[in-house]
Amino acid sequence: MKTITKIVATSAAVVALFFSTNVNAQSSQKLGIGLNVGIPTTEGYSFAIGGDLRYQFDIDKQLSIPVTAGYTNFKVKDFDASFGVIPVKAGVKYFFNDSGAGAYGLAELGAGFGTNKGSGTSFVYSPAIGYSWSNGLDLAAKYEGYSNNGSIGYAGIRLAYGFSL
């Protein structure tokens, strides 16, 4: 299956999930845009940078279901080359207090679609801890790993701004 077909199929599944979710009066939805930067944990790479969009469905003040899609680029050391991946992830975000802001833990899983010829699709996992302010700013320390006949990953930060829908 071609990469573009996988991206379209995954996107369609995510949209179907959003529309089939039964939203009650106490639930809220948010959309965020983030910048990710980090240091690869795999030999041979010097820098990772990317951006993402995150849709967040709040179950209650402490528990949310985020769905994230974006692009990450890994710069190859000592060469004018890079490796790109499009991660599509879903997970669970838990705030440690009941205000809907403050410190949180996040765990996401999904698929990473390589943009370089022959790179294929990877399993993506991304744990994070962060802090979300009530004005929409969000800062997190994260690890993001990709596994496909070997692995690549990075430790970094995500700076984001979110707004209610």
Side-chain angles (χ1 to χ4, degrees):
M1 186 182 280
K2 292 188 176 188
T3 301
I4 193 70
T5 306
K6 292 177 185 177
I7 293 169
V8 170
T10 302
S11 299
V14 168
V15 170
L17 173 68
F18 294 147
F19 286 111
S20 66
T21 303
N22 183 12
V23 180
N24 64 38
Q26 293 181 336
S27 298
S28 69
Q29 301 172 50
K30 296 178 182 127
L31 185 65
I33 183 165
L35 172 67
N36 300 289
V37 294
I39 303 299
T41 57
T42 307
E43 185 85 22
Y45 296 93
S46 61
F47 191 73
I49 187 167
D52 63 41
L53 288 174
R54 177 176 289 159
Y55 170 83
Q56 183 173 300
F57 176 77
D58 296 336
I59 303 298
D60 61 27
K61 291 281 190 184
Q62 287 186 279
L63 186 64
S64 300
I65 306 297
V67 177
T68 309
Y71 176 78
T72 302
N73 187 281
F74 292 88
K75 173 76 173 90
V76 179
K77 273 185 185 175
D78 302 326
F79 293 100
D80 190 23
S82 64
F83 172 74
V85 64
I86 299 169
V88 178
K89 308 172 287 186
V92 176
K93 185 176 189 179
Y94 180 78
F95 287 93
F96 299 120
N97 65 47
D98 60 2
S99 70
Y104 64 83
L106 170 71
E108 292 180 298
L109 301 174
F113 305 98
T115 60
N116 297 47
K117 185 175 180 169
S119 56
T121 303
S122 303
F123 171 70
V124 179
Y125 52 98
S126 184
I129 56 170
Y131 194 91
S132 180
W133 287 267
S134 57
N135 66 1
L137 288 177
D138 189 301
L139 181 64
K142 64 183 271 181
Y143 176 80
E144 188 155 299
Y146 300 88
S147 179
N148 176 7
N149 296 328
S151 63
I152 185 172
Y154 72 93
I157 59 170
R158 177 179 188 263
L159 178 62
Y161 179 76
F163 53 92
S164 296
L165 297 176

